[in-house]
Structures are given as C-alpha cells and as structure tokens.
Amino acid sequence: MRTDYCGNIDSSYVGQEVTLCGWVNKRRDLGGVIFIDLRDREGLVQVVFDPDLPDVLEEANKLRSEFCVKLTGKVRARPAGQVNDTMRTGEIEILGTGLHIYSKANALPLDWNQENSEEQRLRYRYLDLRRPLMSQRLKFRSQVTAAVRRYLEGDGFLDIETPILTKATPEGARDYLVPSRTHKGEFFALPQSPQLFKQLLMMSGMDRYYQIVKCFRDEDLRADRQPEFTQIDLETTFLDADGVMAITEGLIRDLFNKMLNVELGDFPRMTYAEAMQRYGSDKPDLRNPLELVDVADLLSTVEFKVFSGPANDPKGRVSVIRVPGGASLSRKQLDEYTKFVGIYGAKGLAWLKVNSLEGGQEGLQSPVLKFLSEDITDAVLQRTGAQSGDILLFGADTANVVTEALGALRLKLGEDLDLLEGEWRPLWVVDFPMFEEVDGQYHALHHPFTAPRDVDAEQLKANPADALSDAYDMVLNGVELGGGSVRIHDEQMQSAVFSILGIGEQEAQSKFGFLLDALQFGAPPHAGLAFGLDRLVMLMTGATSIRDVMAFPKTTTAACPLTSAPSPANEQQLADLAIGVVKKNT
Amino acid sequence: MRTDYCGNIDSSYVGQEVTLCGWVNKRRDLGGVIFIDLRDREGLVQVVFDPDLPDVLEEANKLRSEFCVKLTGKVRARPAGQVNDTMRTGEIEILGTGLHIYSKANALPLDWNQENSEEQRLRYRYLDLRRPLMSQRLKFRSQVTAAVRRYLEGDGFLDIETPILTKATPEGARDYLVPSRTHKGEFFALPQSPQLFKQLLMMSGMDRYYQIVKCFRDEDLRADRQPEFTQIDLETTFLDADGVMAITEGLIRDLFNKMLNVELGDFPRMTYAEAMQRYGSDKPDLRNPLELVDVADLLSTVEFKVFSGPANDPKGRVSVIRVPGGASLSRKQLDEYTKFVGIYGAKGLAWLKVNSLEGGQEGLQSPVLKFLSEDITDAVLQRTGAQSGDILLFGADTANVVTEALGALRLKLGEDLDLLEGEWRPLWVVDFPMFEEVDGQYHALHHPFTAPRDVDAEQLKANPADALSDAYDMVLNGVELGGGSVRIHDEQMQSAVFSILGIGEQEAQSKFGFLLDALQFGAPPHAGLAFGLDRLVMLMTGATSIRDVMAFPKTTTAACPLTSAPSPANEQQLADLAIGVVKKNT
C-alpha cells in the first residue's frame, strides 16, 4: 500500500513521488496551509497540504491526532530556514497530493506529554506503545534476541523447545498450576525454568542447547518482578565452568559491541567471599567506588560495647564505609541513613567526620570519638584511607546484618551523592557456598543440581557448610544478568545433595526419580547458564523497569488491565476440570 | 574437553592427535583388539584399542554400550578393505591412546533395533533422543526456526513476545486455565493463539510482528494433536491478502530451497468452492490425481431413487470418483470401501467397473447398471473420462455427506493404490465463506476477526450466508501448513460480525471490549498468518507424527510419562489458590 517508511525519506528522495502510511502525530493549520507530521515505526516526516489542491486540502482539514492515513505526495527540499538537523527527514518535506483516511481516532485517554499512571498505560497499552520511546525499546529488544540467536547458533547451539505444561520444579518460588481435564484432580505446573529438561537434553546427546523461553513464578510482585519473564537459557556438554563463562561472556561482549558500540573488555572475576566482604553484596555494582573496610581487629579492645561486642564475636562484623566528601552531610541526612540501615536490622549508624586530617582529634567530629583512643582512631583513618572532608560510617552487628545494611547503604550513598564512575562495569562472581544454613536446615544457594567444587559425595556429606559450588553469576552494574553452574552428572552426588537438603529418599524418588534414573545411563558432564532477557534489555535501553521493555506486562498484583485477566471461569469450565472455587476474592 | 566432534573426523585429520567425547555406540572385541564406535551429535567414528597399550586396552575392556567417555588417539587411514563410503568418518579410524570413563550406563530399557512403545519412548525420552534419527530431527527443527527467523527479520519483522498468562480467547477449542492467587476465584487462560495481541501490536504501530510461540488447546487428543504446539505467528500492517501471501509463500519457498534443495515454484490458488467440488476437501492433496466429478444433471431422470433423489434435491450431490485401473478391485475391497464411506454417513457405495470400453454394456459390470440407460451410462463414462480397466465409485446423498465421504475415500484410494504423483504440491485455498450455518446459528469459519471481502457492515448483515472472507490457507500435500486473513479494522464491521455470530452487545463488551475500544483510535488495515511449526517440520523431515519432531511431547491423554505430569497438588498449594478438587480421577 506504501512505497516506503515515513522515517526513511531523506534528501535522496527529493523529486520523487512517494506513498506513505501512518499516523498523524501532529497537525498544524498555518493560515490555510496544513502541516502534519506523519509517523510510522521508523520515524516522522513532515507533509504539507496547500490550497493549490483544494480537494486534498479539504480532506486534510479533517485530520486529527492519531488518525491512520495513506497519503501520496512529492518529496521536496525544505526552505533553508526550516531544516531540522535532529531528524533524518529534517531536510525534506512532502507536498501532499492525495490522502485517504483509513480510520479516525477519538481523543486519546493518554497524554504523551506527561506521566500517565501505570494502570492507564497498561490499559491502553496499544496507545502507550505508539510512543517512539516505547516502540524503539521493543525494536531494540527484537534486535537483541536476533543477535543472541545468531551468536549462539554460530557457536553450535540448537534451539530446542521444552514444555510449558510440566511438573513442579524446585526453583524456590511458588508454581503456577494448571488443572488437568483428562487427569482430574491433578495439575501441571508452569516452569520456573527449563532446568531439568535442559539437563535431560544434554543426557540425550544434544550437546549444546539454547532457548529464549518464558518462565513463570507466582511470587508477590514486590520490586520489579513479573509473573512471566524471559530467559536466555543455555546448556552445554563436555565444557567446564571456564568454558561456559567464555562463551557467555563473549555473547554479552558481542551484544554490547554490536548494539551499543561499547567495548566491555574482559570481565574480572571475584569470589563470593570477596564480594560480600568488600561490597556487602553478591552482585556488586563496581561503578560505585565505596567499599566496606573491616576494622573489627582495631576495635576489639575499646570499651564501647557497640563496637567491641561484635568485634569479639566470631559471628560479628565491624566495618566502615568511607564516603569521600561526606563530612558535609547534614545531621538530617545522617538521621535518614540511620533509619535506612534500620530496615536491614542495624540498630544504629555511628559516624566520624574527618573535617581536617591535620591537628589530630581536633579535626575529627563524632559522637563515638570519646570511646576511641587516638591510636585506634589513627589506625582506622589509615586503614580506610580517610582524607580531609570524608565521613566514616560504621556498622557493628552480626556479620549478616552489617553486610546487608552496609551493602544497601553503599548503593544508596552512591546514588544520592552521584558517585558512580564509568558506564558499564561487568564482573563474574564465583566460588559461591553450596549451601546456606537457616535454623539448622541447609538450603541450596543456587539449585539442588549444582555441582560442588573439588569434593566427592562422601566429603560433601561430611562437611556441607564449607563446600563451594561450581557456580558463576554474571553481574553488570549491580544487576545479576545471569547465573549458571556445572551440574551434577553422578547419581551418588545427586543423592548426597538431596539428602543434605533434607529431601528423603522417597521424596527424591517421587519428585526427581526421572533425573536419578537418567543419571544411570551414561550421563555426560554438563554445565550451563541462564540470562534474564528482560533485565538485560532494560539495562541496555536505560529503562528503569522491566515493564518498559515488555509489550504487555502485568501490574504489581499480577493482572492485565488491558484484557481484564484474570477473570472468573464459568461453571462448565470448572466442572470439566473437576475443581471448585473455595473462596471468592474479597 | 575435546578437540572436535566425532562425526567431523575425516581423512584430512590423518596423522593428528584428537580428543573426543561421546557415547559408546557399539563395542566389539576381535581377538583381543577392541573396536568401538564413538557417537556424538555430529556422528560416529571408529576407535581401535590394541594390545600395544595394555593399560588403555584394559580400560577399554570395561566399556559397554552408552558409557559416556573421553578419549584421545591418533587418526589413521583405515586398511583398504575396511573403508566405509557411507559415512563421513568411513575412511579413517582412531588408534586410542587414552581413555577416561565419565559415567557408566545400565542396560537400556529401549531397544533401538526394534519399535518401542510410545509410552516407553516418552518415559525414557533422553535415551530415545540419542537415536541419530531423532537427534537429526531436532537439529533440523532448530535449523528451520533459525532460517524462518532470518527470513522474517530480513523482511522487517520484529520478534515481539505476547503473554502466556492471558484471557480466554475464542478460537473454538477449550482453554487451559490457570488459577490466580492474587485474584482468588479468577483464572488466566493459556493462549490458543496470540491473535488479539498481535492485532493490538499492529494498532500500536509495530508494523510487522512475528513470533515463534507456544499455543495451547485442551482438546481431546484424537489424531495427531498436542496440548501445546508451536506457531510461526506473524502480522503486518498496510498489506492486503496478496501482500501477506507473497511474503509467506516466499518464506516457505526459501525454506524448502535452503533446507531440502527443493524448488517449490509459484503456489497455485484455488477457491474453497473449487477445492470442495473437485477434491471434497478444503486442504486438497494435489499429489493425488483422483477427483470428484459431479453427475447429478445426468442422473436426475433415472428411476433409481438413490441417484435421482439427491440429484433433484437442491441440497443433494451426486458425484463420481474414477479410479484408473480400479476394475481389478475385489469384491472384498469394495465392501471395505463401502464400510469406510459409511463412517462419513454414506449409506452405500455404488460402483461401475469398466472392464472394456468396447462392446457397450457388455464391457461394463455394476449392480446398478440395470437402472441406467445406455445413453446415461455413456454420458457418465464420457464426463469422467473412463478408460478400460477403470472403476467409477458413486456418491449420492446430501452435499455434505458426498463431499466428505468421497473426499476421504479419495485420500484412502490414493494411499492404498499408491497413486500419489510428485513429491511436493503446495497451494493456496482462498475465498472461504465467512460463516457456516449449523442449526440456524452462524459460526465463523476462521475466527471472528476475519474481514469479509467486498462488502460493508450493512451488506454483510443483510446476507451473511453468501459472504466470502478475505482469508487464505496454505496447504502442502493435503496438510494445512498455515492460515491467515485480512482482519477487521473497523468497529462497525467488528460489531456486525459479533452480532451475526449471536454475540450480544453485553457479551461483546465483556469479552472483546478492549478490542472494540482499540478500534476507535486510528486502527490501521492489517493482515497476518500463522503456520503450524510442528506440522511443517514433520512434513519436511518425513516424520509421521508431530511427536517425533518435539523434544518432550505428551501422550494422547495429555500426560508426560517422563516427569509424571500432571500430578496431585498439595493442600497448601490449593489453599493458596482458593480452589478445591471436586472429584478425583476414577
């Protein structure tokens, strides 16, 4: 119906007749001459209707914002003063000679010139997506997936689909259930990830698998989560952790290079222990220069119990964040930060302002200064590298509380004080513990199919607490882009892990019998990784929410204001499925 | 861990040392020398362990079928007499110098040298997929999806994901429901297709959309259906039917060319009316030369009521299939065909054998000959082009019964008598009726969003029965590969269709209010199509079931013998979802 996209018409078209289809972005009437900006996926172009063609002008007079039209016209250079250098079509305009209105538009319920509520944006998503910012994001996302596919296919990965109607998997979150009609009283689960299927594909000799695949978690949608999200999921046979990390690091490097013209370079590696120690996080944002500096050894003898207590407790931690230039923080700001660390269980936030390094204690200011000898203060200043104008912020509590509270505080300070350096700071976090112990019960830090490093099944059972896993997380700017591991390919080891996790033999058989079976028929060594596509695209486009890089996301209560899903089922449907609603929503 | 794939080692490697990983496909002990065929995704290679390296030989002695191993060895040419021309690695063998067993294998529960039950194959799918035939099919499928993506991306299509947790869509089949936890008593539906979302994407200006996407239908799985299947789904703006047909025909032509080195040429087009008339099917297999020839006008005056009744009934049909060489069919075979057409409601199957065209009635043989005058017989012979040795098979009943029964009989005869000609016979079927009337109620032949041809809303409402739709089905070898249509982009027209389908205003608002809303904001003309990927790959690989081109299909009762899904939910899960099981499976 058209000869080209609006956004493609540049000065090379001058003198040509074109036919374009699109939407009226803006319409102006300047003394009987009508100007419209016509918009399609590729951009805007200016069209002029003048009185020389009265019939066409009359039709153009009917145009309003968001009418959908086809028009024909001749491309001509704009008069010198009207050139717009900021757009591709800015040197030309089209003299409209024919116009057909496909469909009219009512006044829009969204005002693109201001913020609209999330609810309104999702309810009229088809209008929200007309905004160039949104359509460019979806276009960018499509280009990212295409580039990912090309890279992986070039590396021998096969795109293999795994089931959506499947069995509950133990990924930690709540499953979405789907009642079966043919097996009444039974349920499928939607996959939280294709973890076990991809492992089975490796056991079936597919060698290298990938899939860009929907996954599902029925979680409470605090923060930026969605009930369905998309993974770039991959798995390989006969590769170790280094092999998988090389492939996936190469993939992300290639993507940033091609899509953003950014050279990420080699990703540094950091152990989980170091990340928690220095950054109080297993996904440190390296753009943030602040670090946690441990000072328990320096403060173990002070009389101030708030410090010396945790300093002498094997499960305690005493750490300092030095904030360059932070001496100028106001009392009010410090009170707010104290409240902030309270969220993470910290009972207070001791501080020490270094107004001037010269002149000893005189240059320092702190409510706790009286508890510290000059020697100790000097040692702390030296270890933290304090400079005049800095502030030191102290955390002293159990290791968990200090790590979490100062880890979060570090991020907040970085943002509040605009301290971030550099644009892109990727890294690998490695050497995670296999298990975390909560109330005497071990939990898998990744998932129960992750292989431990350098121990056999007996050694693992003898000392689970100290075991490290062969897992690796890719982190970019403080966001976990992806995580993976070498998997267990030995039945004894898999059974040992189940038993450490408190999964009895009977439960293991009923839940994972098919995996334990499969491990008895020549299971190969295998390892893989999964990226969160939504987060990756969000980071790359600079969007602040994954909802802004999804075409039809759900609200934070997991509903769709556009289609009004979920909605009640009718009696017949429920009868077919042999289920009943126990309690209506109140 | 390896230097190359097993299947890639050819004579260019002679003299090199290689390290390979894979599975023991076969092991033979020939007088103290051990031969194994090592298998990976790319093929087999022969490895020899000889007594010169007793340690390695001892390890090799432990090998059994399907052990997973790594081995090192030197590539050498095979002795002249042992070259195997049928495989890439057939000119070489590897002298094994190192061997590591990753994992042992129990005796396999599947015997690859014979047919295994579907249940066993699915239960041990990871072993079933090790068969080269199966792994090649999955590899082929992956290559098909990659080629499709590349073609469509090259044509400006954006890959955009639509939701899996969504609202019930009216595609005709039963929906899978997903109870909502955050909106208790309400349900999501899994999409039967992304139809409405892709239309909304066109309204949002995305211009060209595609997705290779899972769809879901909770149907009784007679025939070759699966609860979840995959569509190549696409939609375009500002293109008419011809435009979409050109793109999608080009896609399939390109695919057959690249993947199978087959030139499909231009696809012929046939109207629905002609397809039903000549082939008794809306998806005719053009490889089958048999056709239905209408003879009602010739038989309207005969005394035999079985013929003259339907011949004089406006809703009747009398047709003949001429089967070349069919005069040799036995009485028993004819009885079986009579029984076969009975399935479709035909009360009998009159036949006329043309033993010899010479000699008038003498050369003919038929129980109904006595009812037919020589003139009439001659006219029938002439119209059907009968030759000596042929048989004519008659259908006389309501048009529906004759069309369906002879349409099915035509296919059966084509297969039984091995009549198919040519390998690939694609075509487009066009000009479908908008509606079919069943018991005074109109149903959409495609779906309620399909645009009619050449009528406005008033004309459509005045005469729905005669309206043709702007829909098109792509058919290959009697299989519907894909179907699509121009969609309605006008609210009046959409409301008219809903009203013809008996969907009242209130129901239309509650089910499709968001679509009717969207049509009021400058909706563009748009059209699209969806291919069934599973069927396409099945046809292209010569598989006989879509289950053989899916990694983890379900059984005909929609269950997964591998993971034992579906399975019972626990009390907590049901309580969270506020649903209860009304009746256990019996």
Side-chain angles (χ1 to χ4, degrees):
Chain A
M1 299 186 191
R2 67 189 160 199
T3 57
D4 211 321
Y5 284 112
C6 299
N8 289 348
I9 312 295
D10 60 17
S11 51
S12 70
Y13 285 75
V14 169
Q16 290 182 31
E17 187 178 90
V18 294
T19 300
L20 302 174
C21 294
W23 287 263
V24 175
N25 199 60
K26 208 198 265 177
R27 173 186 168 283
R28 284 157 297 162
D29 186 337
L30 298 178
V33 178
I34 293 178
F35 289 83
I36 68 164
D37 286 341
L38 190 68
R39 187 191 69 236
D40 65 16
R41 192 180 80 188
E42 302 303 321
L44 296 170
V45 69
Q46 177 170 298
V47 186
V48 187
F49 297 96
D50 71 22
D52 291 348
L53 292 169
D55 288 357
V56 183
L57 185 70
E58 195 190 325
E59 196 69 8
N61 232 327
K62 298 179 191 160
L63 295 180
R64 295 294 178 273
S65 284
E66 298 306 313
F67 276 31
C68 181
V69 305
K70 171 164 84 169
L71 62 80
T72 304
K74 201 156 181 182
V75 182
R76 65 186 187 191
R78 289 197 198 181
Q82 295 175 27
V83 167
N84 180 344
D85 289 337
T86 62
M87 51 200 290
R88 180 162 171 194
T89 64
E91 294 183 354
I92 58 94
E93 64 186 8
I94 293 169
L95 178 64
T97 56
L99 177 63
H100 173 71
I101 298 176
Y102 285 126
S103 59
K104 300 178 180 183
N106 290 345
L108 258 51
L110 296 179
D111 181 351
W112 292 346
N113 296 314
Q114 58 173 51
E115 283 279 313
N116 297 286
S117 75
E118 189 77 19
E119 179 85 12
Q120 280 293 93
R121 287 181 59 198
L122 295 184
R123 174 157 181 207
Y124 297 101
R125 191 61 163 179
Y126 46 91
L127 299 177
D128 191 44
L129 292 179
R130 283 190 194 170
R131 290 192 294 143
L133 178 69
M134 291 301 288
S135 67
Q136 288 311 308
R137 283 174 180 160
L138 291 193
K139 193 175 167 185
F140 186 92
R141 179 178 176 130
S142 174
Q143 289 165 341
V144 165
T145 57
V148 167
R149 291 179 185 285
R150 238 155 262 200
Y151 186 93
L152 291 175
E153 283 158 12
D155 226 349
F157 285 82
L158 302 183
D159 179 3
I160 302 177
E161 295 175 64
T162 53
I164 298 290
L165 294 171
T166 181
K167 192 168 173 170
T169 45
E171 305 279 325
R174 209 180 274 108
D175 285 314
Y176 277 103
L177 297 185
V178 182
S180 164
R181 184 178 52 85
T182 43
H183 300 268
K184 294 198 199 315
E186 302 192 348
F187 297 81
F188 296 102
L190 303 183
Q192 296 185 34
S193 96
Q195 183 62 35
L196 288 174
F197 286 108
K198 68 177 178 175
Q199 292 190 228
L200 291 172
L201 285 173
M202 296 304 98
M203 297 177 201
S204 72
M206 292 302 150
D207 203 70
R208 293 187 172 195
Y209 143 96
Y210 92 95
Q211 195 181 189
I212 298 185
V213 62
K214 280 278 177 70
C215 301
F216 304 85
R217 291 188 187 179
D218 187 9
E219 294 178 296
D220 295 318
L221 303 182
R222 61 190 158 76
D224 196 22
R225 292 205 173 150
Q226 283 284 310
E228 54 183 296
F229 55 98
T230 306
Q231 281 187 359
I232 304 168
D233 192 47
L234 59 89
E235 193 79 9
T236 67
T237 315
F238 305 125
L239 282 182
D240 58 14
D242 284 338
V244 174
M245 290 161 85
I247 289 174
T248 51
E249 182 177 323
L251 167 65
I252 296 299
R253 206 159 37 224
D254 179 72
L255 206 53
F256 272 73
N257 188 321
K258 286 210 180 100
M259 299 293 302
L260 300 177
N261 204 22
V262 164
E263 272 306 337
L264 290 181
D266 287 336
F267 296 12
R269 293 189 188 185
M270 186 181 290
T271 64
Y272 172 86
E274 183 182 351
M276 299 303 275
Q277 192 83 13
R278 291 175 58 192
Y279 303 103
S281 167
D282 60 357
K283 42 178 196 283
D285 185 348
L286 296 187
R287 295 174 306 169
N288 183 327
L290 305 180
E291 294 195 17
L292 280 60
V293 178
D294 281 338
V295 293
D297 55 324
L298 304 179
L299 299 176
S300 59
T301 59
V302 300
E303 282 194 33
F304 188 43
K305 286 276 180 276
V306 170
F307 285 170
S308 59
N312 288 299
D313 182 346
K315 292 193 167 175
R317 184 173 180 188
V318 185
S319 299
V320 174
I321 294 178
R322 175 177 73 86
V323 186
S328 60
L329 286 173
S330 70
R331 195 58 184 250
K332 187 159 162 266
Q333 284 171 305
L334 288 171
D335 286 348
E336 268 165 28
Y337 289 128
T338 306
K339 219 180 279 174
F340 177 78
V341 294
I343 301 172
Y344 302 92
K347 290 179 283 288
L349 181 67
W351 52 267
L352 188 162
K353 287 186 178 180
V354 186
N355 295 321
S356 165
L357 263 188
E358 315 305 316
Q361 301 285 88
E362 292 302 300
L364 307 179
Q365 179 191 353
S366 168
V368 299
L369 203 56
K370 54 183 177 253
F371 301 116
L372 309 177
S373 73
E374 202 164 336
D375 283 356
I376 288 178
T377 311
D378 282 350
V380 170
L381 291 175
Q382 202 176 353
R383 183 173 294 174
T384 58
Q387 303 293 319
S388 298
D390 293 353
I391 193 171
L392 304 187
L393 300 169
F394 290 77
D397 208 311
T398 63
N400 281 348
V401 166
V402 169
T403 303
E404 220 185 317
L406 292 195
L409 179 61
R410 173 182 170 272
L411 293 182
K412 187 162 170 56
L413 288 165
E415 242 177 61
D416 289 356
L417 307 180
D418 204 11
L419 299 173
L420 304 195
E421 297 164 356
E423 200 177 3
W424 301 108
R425 293 294 303 274
L427 85 155
W428 285 108
V429 178
V430 297
D431 288 355
F432 289 83
M434 272 293 277
F435 306 104
E436 53 186 352
E437 203 187 325
V438 180
D439 302 332
Q441 166 72 50
Y442 287 110
H443 299 272
L445 209 74
H446 275 81
H447 55 58
F449 318 109
T450 304
R453 289 189 64 151
D454 310 323
V455 291
D456 63 25
E458 290 311 310
Q459 292 166 320
L460 185 70
K461 277 199 273 194
N463 190 5
D466 289 343
L468 296 182
S469 70
D470 214 350
Y472 31 84
D473 279 2
M474 188 192 288
V475 175
L476 179 63
N477 293 359
V479 174
E480 186 198 322
L481 275 193
S485 64
V486 174
R487 326 298 186 183
I488 296 168
H489 71 280
D490 172 80
E491 199 222 332
Q492 260 91 53
M493 180 63 86
Q494 188 63 70
S495 295
V497 169
F498 286 154
S499 121
I500 291 165
L501 294 172
I503 301 175
E505 252 177 70
Q506 206 178 339
E507 187 185 355
Q509 270 305 329
S510 97
K511 282 190 180 165
F512 309 114
F514 62 102
L515 176 68
L516 296 171
D517 278 358
L519 292 174
Q520 296 176 31
F521 297 103
H526 57 293
L529 181 141
F531 288 108
L533 176 64
D534 311 292
R535 283 188 199 167
L536 175 62
V537 176
M538 179 187 80
L539 277 188
M540 293 181 80
T541 58
T544 52
S545 160
I546 59 170
R547 291 191 298 281
D548 281 347
V549 296
M550 304 173 108
F552 300 102
K554 302 227 170 17
T555 63
T556 46
T557 65
C560 172
L562 170 63
T563 60
S564 311
S567 55
N570 66 40
E571 292 301 320
Q572 186 58 50
Q573 287 175 304
L574 298 180
D576 283 349
L577 298 172
I579 60 170
V581 171
V582 174
K583 191 176 76 182
K584 291 274 179 192
N585 209 3
T586 51
Chain B
M1 301 187 190
R2 66 189 160 200
T3 57
D4 212 320
Y5 283 111
C6 300
N8 289 348
I9 312 295
D10 59 18
S11 50
S12 71
Y13 286 74
V14 167
Q16 292 183 30
E17 187 178 90
V18 294
T19 300
L20 303 174
C21 295
W23 287 263
V24 175
N25 200 59
K26 209 198 265 179
R27 172 185 169 283
R28 283 157 297 162
D29 186 338
L30 297 178
V33 178
I34 292 179
F35 289 83
I36 68 161
D37 287 340
L38 190 67
R39 188 191 67 238
D40 64 16
R41 192 181 79 188
E42 302 304 322
L44 297 171
V45 69
Q46 177 170 297
V47 186
V48 187
F49 297 95
D50 71 19
D52 291 348
L53 292 168
D55 288 357
V56 183
L57 185 70
E58 193 189 328
E59 196 68 6
N61 233 329
K62 297 179 191 160
L63 296 179
R64 296 295 177 271
S65 284
E66 297 307 312
F67 276 33
C68 181
V69 305
K70 171 163 84 169
L71 63 79
T72 303
K74 203 158 180 179
V75 182
R76 65 184 188 192
R78 291 198 197 178
Q82 294 174 27
V83 167
N84 179 346
D85 289 336
T86 63
M87 51 201 292
R88 181 163 172 192
T89 64
E91 293 184 354
I92 58 93
E93 64 186 10
I94 293 168
L95 178 66
T97 55
L99 177 63
H100 173 70
I101 298 176
Y102 285 125
S103 59
K104 300 179 180 183
N106 291 346
L108 258 49
L110 296 179
D111 180 352
W112 292 347
N113 296 315
Q114 57 172 53
E115 283 279 313
N116 298 286
S117 75
E118 190 77 19
E119 179 85 13
Q120 280 293 93
R121 287 181 58 198
L122 295 184
R123 176 160 180 203
Y124 297 101
R125 192 61 164 179
Y126 47 90
L127 299 177
D128 192 44
L129 292 179
R130 284 190 194 170
R131 290 191 295 142
L133 178 68
M134 291 301 287
S135 66
Q136 287 312 308
R137 282 174 180 161
L138 290 193
K139 193 174 169 189
F140 186 92
R141 180 178 175 129
S142 174
Q143 289 164 340
V144 165
T145 57
V148 167
R149 290 179 185 284
R150 238 155 261 197
Y151 187 93
L152 291 175
E153 283 158 12
D155 226 348
F157 285 82
L158 302 183
D159 179 3
I160 303 177
E161 295 175 65
T162 54
I164 297 290
L165 293 172
T166 181
K167 192 168 176 169
T169 45
E171 306 279 324
R174 210 181 274 109
D175 286 314
Y176 277 103
L177 297 185
V178 182
S180 164
R181 183 177 53 85
T182 44
H183 301 267
K184 294 198 200 314
E186 302 191 352
F187 297 81
F188 296 101
L190 303 182
Q192 297 185 33
S193 96
Q195 183 62 34
L196 289 174
F197 287 109
K198 68 178 177 173
Q199 292 190 226
L200 290 172
L201 286 173
M202 296 304 98
M203 297 177 203
S204 72
M206 292 304 151
D207 204 70
R208 294 189 172 194
Y209 142 95
Y210 92 95
Q211 195 181 187
I212 297 184
V213 61
K214 279 278 177 70
C215 301
F216 304 85
R217 292 189 187 176
D218 187 8
E219 294 178 295
D220 294 318
L221 303 182
R222 59 190 160 79
D224 195 23
R225 292 204 173 150
Q226 283 283 311
E228 55 184 295
F229 56 97
T230 306
Q231 281 187 359
I232 304 169
D233 193 47
L234 58 90
E235 194 79 7
T236 67
T237 315
F238 306 125
L239 282 182
D240 58 14
D242 283 339
V244 174
M245 290 162 84
I247 289 173
T248 51
E249 181 177 324
L251 167 65
I252 296 299
R253 206 160 37 223
D254 178 72
L255 206 54
F256 273 74
N257 187 321
K258 286 210 181 100
M259 298 295 300
L260 299 176
N261 204 22
V262 163
E263 272 304 336
L264 290 180
D266 287 336
F267 296 11
R269 294 188 189 186
M270 186 180 292
T271 65
Y272 173 85
E274 182 181 351
M276 298 303 276
Q277 193 82 13
R278 292 175 59 191
Y279 303 103
S281 166
D282 60 356
K283 42 177 196 281
D285 185 347
L286 296 187
R287 295 174 305 170
N288 183 327
L290 304 181
E291 294 195 17
L292 280 60
V293 178
D294 281 338
V295 293
D297 56 324
L298 303 179
L299 300 176
S300 60
T301 60
V302 301
E303 282 195 33
F304 188 44
K305 286 275 182 275
V306 170
F307 285 171
S308 60
N312 288 299
D313 182 345
K315 293 193 166 174
R317 185 174 181 187
V318 185
S319 299
V320 173
I321 294 178
R322 175 178 72 87
V323 186
S328 60
L329 287 174
S330 69
R331 195 58 183 251
K332 186 158 165 266
Q333 285 171 302
L334 288 171
D335 285 348
E336 269 165 26
Y337 289 128
T338 306
K339 219 180 277 173
F340 177 78
V341 293
I343 300 171
Y344 302 91
K347 289 179 285 288
L349 181 69
W351 52 266
L352 188 161
K353 288 187 177 178
V354 186
N355 293 323
S356 164
L357 263 189
E358 315 303 317
Q361 302 285 88
E362 293 303 300
L364 306 179
Q365 179 192 353
S366 167
V368 300
L369 203 55
K370 53 183 178 251
F371 300 116
L372 309 177
S373 72
E374 203 165 333
D375 283 357
I376 287 177
T377 312
D378 281 351
V380 170
L381 291 175
Q382 203 176 351
R383 182 172 295 173
T384 56
Q387 303 291 320
S388 299
D390 293 354
I391 193 172
L392 305 186
L393 300 169
F394 290 78
D397 208 309
T398 64
N400 281 349
V401 166
V402 170
T403 303
E404 218 186 319
L406 292 195
L409 179 62
R410 175 181 168 271
L411 293 181
K412 185 161 172 54
L413 288 165
E415 242 178 59
D416 289 356
L417 308 178
D418 203 13
L419 298 174
L420 303 195
E421 298 164 356
E423 199 177 4
W424 301 107
R425 293 295 303 274
L427 85 155
W428 286 107
V429 178
V430 296
D431 287 357
F432 288 84
M434 272 293 279
F435 307 104
E436 53 186 352
E437 203 189 327
V438 181
D439 302 332
Q441 166 73 50
Y442 287 109
H443 299 272
L445 210 75
H446 277 80
H447 54 58
F449 318 110
T450 304
R453 288 189 64 152
D454 308 324
V455 290
D456 63 26
E458 289 311 309
Q459 292 167 320
L460 184 71
K461 277 200 271 194
N463 190 4
D466 288 344
L468 296 181
S469 70
D470 215 349
Y472 31 84
D473 279 3
M474 189 192 287
V475 175
L476 179 63
N477 293 359
V479 174
E480 186 198 322
L481 274 192
S485 63
V486 174
R487 326 299 185 183
I488 295 168
H489 71 280
D490 173 80
E491 198 221 334
Q492 260 89 51
M493 180 65 85
Q494 188 64 70
S495 294
V497 169
F498 286 154
S499 121
I500 291 165
L501 294 172
I503 302 174
E505 254 178 68
Q506 207 179 339
E507 187 185 353
Q509 271 305 328
S510 97
K511 282 189 180 164
F512 309 114
F514 63 102
L515 176 68
L516 295 172
D517 278 359
L519 291 174
Q520 295 177 30
F521 296 104
H526 57 293
L529 181 142
F531 288 108
L533 176 64
D534 311 293
R535 283 189 201 166
L536 175 63
V537 176
M538 178 187 81
L539 277 187
M540 292 182 81
T541 57
T544 53
S545 161
I546 59 170
R547 292 190 298 280
D548 281 347
V549 296
M550 303 172 108
F552 301 102
K554 304 231 169 14
T555 64
T556 47
T557 65
C560 173
L562 171 62
T563 59
S564 309
S567 54
N570 66 40
E571 291 301 319
Q572 185 57 50
Q573 287 175 304
L574 297 181
D576 283 349
L577 299 172
I579 59 170
V581 170
V582 175
K583 192 177 75 181
K584 291 274 180 196
N585 210 3
T586 49

